[in-house]
Protein backbone atom coordinates (compact mmCIF):
# COMPACT_ATOMS: atom_id res chain seq x y z
CA UNK A 1 0.00 0.00 0.00
CA UNK A 2 1.37 3.40 -0.99
CA UNK A 3 1.60 6.06 1.69
CA UNK A 4 0.05 9.47 0.87
CA UNK A 5 2.14 12.64 0.79
CA UNK A 6 3.40 13.77 4.18
CA UNK A 7 1.17 16.87 4.25
CA UNK A 8 -2.01 14.93 3.41
CA UNK A 9 -4.99 15.35 5.77
CA UNK A 10 -6.59 11.91 5.92
CA UNK A 11 -10.33 11.36 6.15
CA UNK A 12 -11.87 8.84 8.55
CA UNK A 13 -12.52 6.54 5.58
CA UNK A 14 -8.90 6.73 4.45
CA UNK A 15 -7.64 5.93 7.95
CA UNK A 16 -9.99 2.94 8.19
CA UNK A 17 -8.90 1.66 4.77
CA UNK A 18 -5.20 1.93 5.64
CA UNK A 19 -5.71 0.07 8.93
CA UNK A 20 -7.84 -2.64 7.32
CA UNK A 21 -5.31 -2.99 4.51
CA UNK A 22 -2.71 -4.19 7.02
CA UNK A 23 -4.77 -5.79 9.76
CA UNK A 24 -7.34 -7.78 7.82
CA UNK A 25 -9.87 -9.47 10.06
CA UNK A 26 -11.16 -12.96 9.32
CA UNK A 27 -12.06 -16.14 11.15
CA UNK A 28 -8.39 -16.75 11.97
CA UNK A 29 -8.28 -13.38 13.72
CA UNK A 30 -10.88 -14.30 16.37
CA UNK A 31 -11.62 -17.04 18.86
CA UNK A 32 -15.10 -18.26 17.87
CA UNK A 33 -17.35 -20.73 19.66
CA UNK A 34 -19.35 -23.55 18.05
CA UNK A 35 -22.31 -21.20 17.50
CA UNK A 36 -20.24 -18.65 15.62
CA UNK A 37 -20.07 -16.06 18.40
CA UNK A 38 -16.83 -14.10 18.79
CA UNK A 39 -15.21 -14.77 22.18
CA UNK A 40 -12.16 -12.57 21.72
CA UNK A 41 -8.95 -12.07 19.78
CA UNK A 42 -6.42 -14.85 19.30
CA UNK A 43 -3.45 -12.54 18.92
CA UNK A 44 -3.43 -9.75 21.52
CA UNK A 45 -0.09 -8.50 20.24
CA UNK A 46 -1.51 -8.03 16.76
CA UNK A 47 -4.55 -6.26 18.19
CA UNK A 48 -2.34 -3.87 20.18
CA UNK A 49 -0.34 -3.09 17.02
CA UNK A 50 -3.57 -2.34 15.15
CA UNK A 51 -4.73 0.06 17.84
CA UNK A 52 -1.32 1.74 17.94
CA UNK A 53 -1.19 2.11 14.14
CA UNK A 54 -4.63 3.74 14.20
CA UNK A 55 -3.37 6.18 16.85
CA UNK A 56 -0.37 7.06 14.67
CA UNK A 57 -2.60 7.86 11.70
CA UNK A 58 -4.88 10.03 13.80
CA UNK A 59 -1.92 11.92 15.29
CA UNK A 60 -0.49 12.47 11.80
CA UNK A 61 -3.83 13.89 10.64
CA UNK A 62 -4.12 16.17 13.67
CA UNK A 63 -0.63 17.58 13.15
CA UNK A 64 -1.36 18.32 9.49
CA UNK A 65 -4.61 20.03 10.44
CA UNK A 66 -2.65 22.17 12.89
CA UNK A 67 0.05 23.01 10.36
CA UNK A 68 -2.33 23.65 7.46
CA UNK A 69 -5.31 25.27 9.11
CA UNK A 70 -3.53 27.09 11.90
CA UNK A 71 -3.78 26.75 15.64
CA UNK A 72 -6.51 28.03 17.92
CA UNK A 73 -6.96 31.82 17.82
CA UNK A 74 -6.10 31.76 21.53
CA UNK A 75 -2.75 30.04 20.88
CA UNK A 76 0.30 32.14 20.07
CA UNK A 77 2.33 30.14 17.55
CA UNK A 78 6.10 30.44 17.31
CA UNK A 79 8.51 29.17 14.68
CA UNK A 80 9.91 26.77 17.26
CA UNK A 81 6.44 25.27 17.77
CA UNK A 82 6.04 24.74 14.02
CA UNK A 83 9.46 23.11 13.75
CA UNK A 84 8.63 20.81 16.69
CA UNK A 85 5.37 19.74 15.04
CA UNK A 86 7.17 19.05 11.76
CA UNK A 87 9.78 16.90 13.55
CA UNK A 88 7.04 14.94 15.28
CA UNK A 89 5.28 14.49 11.93
CA UNK A 90 8.48 13.21 10.30
CA UNK A 91 8.82 10.55 13.03
CA UNK A 92 5.19 9.49 12.67
CA UNK A 93 5.50 9.36 8.90
CA UNK A 94 8.49 7.01 9.08
CA UNK A 95 6.68 4.71 11.52
CA UNK A 96 3.60 4.61 9.29
CA UNK A 97 5.70 3.99 6.19
CA UNK A 98 7.47 1.09 7.93
CA UNK A 99 4.13 -0.42 8.90
CA UNK A 100 2.86 -0.18 5.34
CA UNK A 101 6.04 -1.93 4.19
CA UNK A 102 5.40 -4.87 6.52
CA UNK A 103 7.64 -3.88 9.41
CA UNK A 104 6.47 -3.93 13.03
CA UNK A 105 4.79 -0.67 13.93
CA UNK A 106 6.08 -0.82 17.51
CA UNK A 107 9.73 -1.03 18.48
CA UNK A 108 9.60 -3.26 21.52
CA UNK A 109 13.32 -3.23 22.35
CA UNK A 110 12.77 -6.84 23.37
CA UNK A 111 16.42 -7.27 24.26
CA UNK A 112 15.76 -4.96 27.23
CA UNK A 113 12.81 -6.94 28.55
CA UNK A 114 13.30 -8.94 31.76
CA UNK A 115 12.58 -12.62 31.12
CA UNK A 116 9.28 -12.60 33.01
CA UNK A 117 8.04 -9.74 30.80
CA UNK A 118 9.32 -11.21 27.54
CA UNK A 119 6.12 -13.17 26.90
CA UNK A 120 3.29 -12.58 24.43
CA UNK A 121 0.85 -11.83 27.25
CA UNK A 122 3.16 -9.26 28.84
CA UNK A 123 4.23 -7.68 25.55
CA UNK A 124 0.61 -7.21 24.47
CA UNK A 125 0.04 -5.04 27.56
CA UNK A 126 3.35 -3.20 27.15
CA UNK A 127 2.36 -2.30 23.60
CA UNK A 128 -0.85 -0.81 24.96
CA UNK A 129 1.22 1.17 27.47
CA UNK A 130 3.24 2.64 24.60
CA UNK A 131 0.12 3.29 22.51
CA UNK A 132 -1.45 5.14 25.46
CA UNK A 133 1.74 7.26 25.65
CA UNK A 134 2.34 6.25 29.25
CA UNK A 135 5.90 5.49 28.17
CA UNK A 136 7.92 5.72 24.97
CA UNK A 137 9.26 2.81 22.90
CA UNK A 138 12.41 2.77 25.05
CA UNK A 139 10.26 2.34 28.17
CA UNK A 140 10.89 5.81 29.53
CA UNK A 141 7.92 6.38 31.83
CA UNK A 142 5.93 9.56 31.17
CA UNK A 143 3.80 9.59 34.31
CA UNK A 144 4.38 9.83 38.03
CA UNK A 145 6.26 7.19 39.98
CA UNK A 146 3.02 6.49 41.87
CA UNK A 147 1.25 5.67 38.61
CA UNK A 148 4.11 3.40 37.53
CA UNK A 149 3.92 1.69 40.91
CA UNK A 150 0.19 1.16 40.36
CA UNK A 151 0.86 -0.32 36.92
CA UNK A 152 3.51 -2.68 38.32
CA UNK A 153 1.14 -3.72 41.09
CA UNK A 154 -1.67 -4.57 38.66
CA UNK A 155 0.60 -6.11 36.03
CA UNK A 156 2.37 -8.35 38.54
CA UNK A 157 -0.94 -9.87 39.59
CA UNK A 158 -2.19 -10.06 36.00
CA UNK A 159 0.88 -12.07 34.98
CA UNK A 160 0.95 -14.00 38.29
CA UNK A 161 4.64 -13.22 38.75
CA UNK A 162 4.65 -14.44 42.34
CA UNK A 163 2.54 -16.53 44.69
CA UNK A 164 4.04 -15.05 47.86
CA UNK A 165 1.60 -13.61 50.38
CA UNK A 166 2.04 -10.61 52.66
CA UNK A 167 1.16 -10.59 56.38
CA UNK A 168 -2.46 -9.68 55.53
CA UNK A 169 -2.88 -12.62 53.17
CA UNK A 170 -2.66 -10.59 49.95
CA UNK A 171 -0.57 -11.58 46.93
CA UNK A 172 2.66 -9.62 46.95
CA UNK A 173 3.93 -7.57 44.01
CA UNK A 174 7.06 -8.51 42.07
CA UNK A 175 8.60 -5.03 41.78
CA UNK A 176 12.03 -5.90 40.40
CA UNK A 177 11.12 -6.57 36.71
CA UNK A 178 9.39 -3.20 36.42
CA UNK A 179 12.12 -1.30 38.23
CA UNK A 180 14.61 -2.83 35.80
CA UNK A 181 12.55 -2.19 32.66
CA UNK A 182 11.57 1.40 33.46
CA UNK A 183 14.87 2.43 35.05
CA UNK A 184 13.78 2.76 38.69
CA UNK A 185 16.32 0.43 40.25
CA UNK A 186 17.82 1.17 43.62
CA UNK A 187 16.43 1.94 47.04
CA UNK A 188 15.32 5.04 48.93
CA UNK A 189 15.77 4.76 52.69
CA UNK A 190 16.24 1.02 52.27
CA UNK A 191 12.99 0.47 50.34
CA UNK A 192 12.64 -0.36 46.65
CA UNK A 193 11.54 2.79 44.77
CA UNK A 194 8.26 1.51 43.34
CA UNK A 195 7.28 -0.27 46.53
CA UNK A 196 8.13 2.90 48.44
CA UNK A 197 5.95 4.99 46.13
CA UNK A 198 2.96 2.80 46.99
CA UNK A 199 3.72 2.89 50.70
CA UNK A 200 4.03 6.68 50.67
CA UNK A 201 0.68 7.00 48.89
CA UNK A 202 -1.03 4.72 51.40
CA UNK A 203 0.14 6.87 54.33
CA UNK A 204 -2.52 9.43 53.40
CA UNK A 205 -5.05 7.29 51.52
CA UNK A 206 -7.15 4.20 52.19
CA UNK A 207 -6.99 2.92 48.59
CA UNK A 208 -4.05 2.74 46.22
CA UNK A 209 -5.60 4.71 43.36
CA UNK A 210 -3.11 7.39 42.29
CA UNK A 211 -4.09 10.15 39.89
CA UNK A 212 -4.58 8.71 36.41
CA UNK A 213 -5.16 5.13 37.57
CA UNK A 214 -8.10 4.88 35.13
CA UNK A 215 -5.60 4.90 32.25
CA UNK A 216 -3.91 1.85 33.73
CA UNK A 217 -7.20 0.06 34.39
CA UNK A 218 -8.17 0.53 30.74
CA UNK A 219 -5.09 -1.40 29.61
CA UNK A 220 -6.49 -4.58 31.11
CA UNK A 221 -10.06 -4.32 29.88
Amino acid sequence: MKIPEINCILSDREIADMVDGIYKQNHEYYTIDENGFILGYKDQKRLAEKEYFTELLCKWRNINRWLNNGASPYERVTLAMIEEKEKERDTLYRQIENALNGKSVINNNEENLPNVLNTDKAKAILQKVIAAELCDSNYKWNGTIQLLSYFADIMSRYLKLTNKMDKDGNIQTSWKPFETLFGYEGKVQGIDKLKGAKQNWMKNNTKFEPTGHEKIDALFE
Side-chain angles (χ1 to χ4, degrees):
M1 183 183 297
K2 184 178 179 181
I3 188 171
E5 295 294 328
I6 193 170
N7 59 353
C8 174
I9 299 178
L10 299 171
S11 66
D12 289 343
R13 180 72 267 169
E14 288 171 322
I15 289 177
D17 287 344
M18 290 178 72
V19 173
D20 291 342
I22 298 177
Y23 302 97
K24 295 182 177 65
Q25 298 185 17
N26 51 40
H27 282 72
E28 295 181 357
Y29 196 79
Y30 301 103
T31 299
I32 301 175
D33 68 12
E34 64 274 11
N35 297 314
F37 291 104
I38 295 174
L39 301 178
Y41 295 92
K42 289 182 179 178
D43 191 343
Q44 290 294 324
K45 179 180 177 181
R46 185 77 169 165
L47 175 62
E49 285 190 353
K50 177 183 177 182
E51 293 175 347
Y52 185 55
F53 183 59
T54 304
E55 288 288 335
L56 292 181
L57 293 173
C58 290
K59 287 179 184 177
W60 176 29
R61 176 175 65 181
N62 291 339
I63 289 175
N64 278 336
R65 282 176 174 171
W66 190 92
L67 290 171
N68 286 275
N69 301 330
S72 162
Y74 304 103
E75 184 178 6
R76 298 182 65 182
V77 179
T78 65
L79 181 59
M81 291 169 63
I82 294 174
E83 291 176 344
E84 186 64 28
K85 288 287 186 181
E86 289 176 338
K87 288 180 181 178
E88 184 180 356
R89 181 178 65 175
D90 288 344
T91 300
L92 290 170
Y93 194 75
R94 287 194 298 271
Q95 286 181 281
I96 293 166
E97 191 171 31
N98 286 337
L100 293 175
N101 289 330
K103 297 180 181 179
S104 176
V105 70
I106 298 178
N107 175 18
N108 281 334
N109 283 322
E110 292 185 5
E111 66 274 11
N112 295 328
L113 291 176
N115 289 336
V116 295
L117 299 180
N118 197 5
T119 65
D120 288 343
K121 187 176 182 179
K123 287 186 287 188
I125 296 296
L126 291 174
Q127 286 177 338
K128 289 184 177 182
V129 173
I130 295 171
E133 297 184 343
L134 290 165
C135 74
D136 63 19
S137 59
N138 293 312
Y139 301 111
K140 179 181 179 181
W141 189 255
N142 294 326
T144 64
I145 188 172
Q146 290 82 9
L147 194 60
L148 176 56
S149 178
Y150 182 80
F151 169 71
D153 201 23
I154 299 295
M155 184 74 154
S156 179
R157 293 199 300 272
Y158 174 74
L159 297 175
K160 299 179 180 178
L161 297 185
T162 180
N163 292 319
K164 294 181 180 179
M165 311 287 283
D166 63 20
K167 59 183 177 59
D168 297 319
N170 301 312
I171 294 291
Q172 293 185 7
T173 299
S174 180
W175 301 105
K176 182 64 176 177
F178 304 98
E179 291 172 340
T180 299
L181 180 62
F182 293 100
Y184 279 83
E185 293 181 290
K187 297 179 182 292
V188 176
Q189 296 181 342
I191 302 174
D192 293 332
K193 290 180 180 178
L194 296 187
K195 182 179 181 180
K198 179 178 180 178
Q199 291 179 344
N200 288 336
W201 177 272
M202 294 305 295
K203 288 178 182 177
N204 301 309
N205 299 275
T206 57
K207 289 185 177 181
F208 186 41
E209 294 182 343
T211 303
H213 72 89
E214 300 89 351
K215 296 180 181 179
I216 304 299
D217 295 339
L219 301 174
F220 298 91
E221 293 177 352

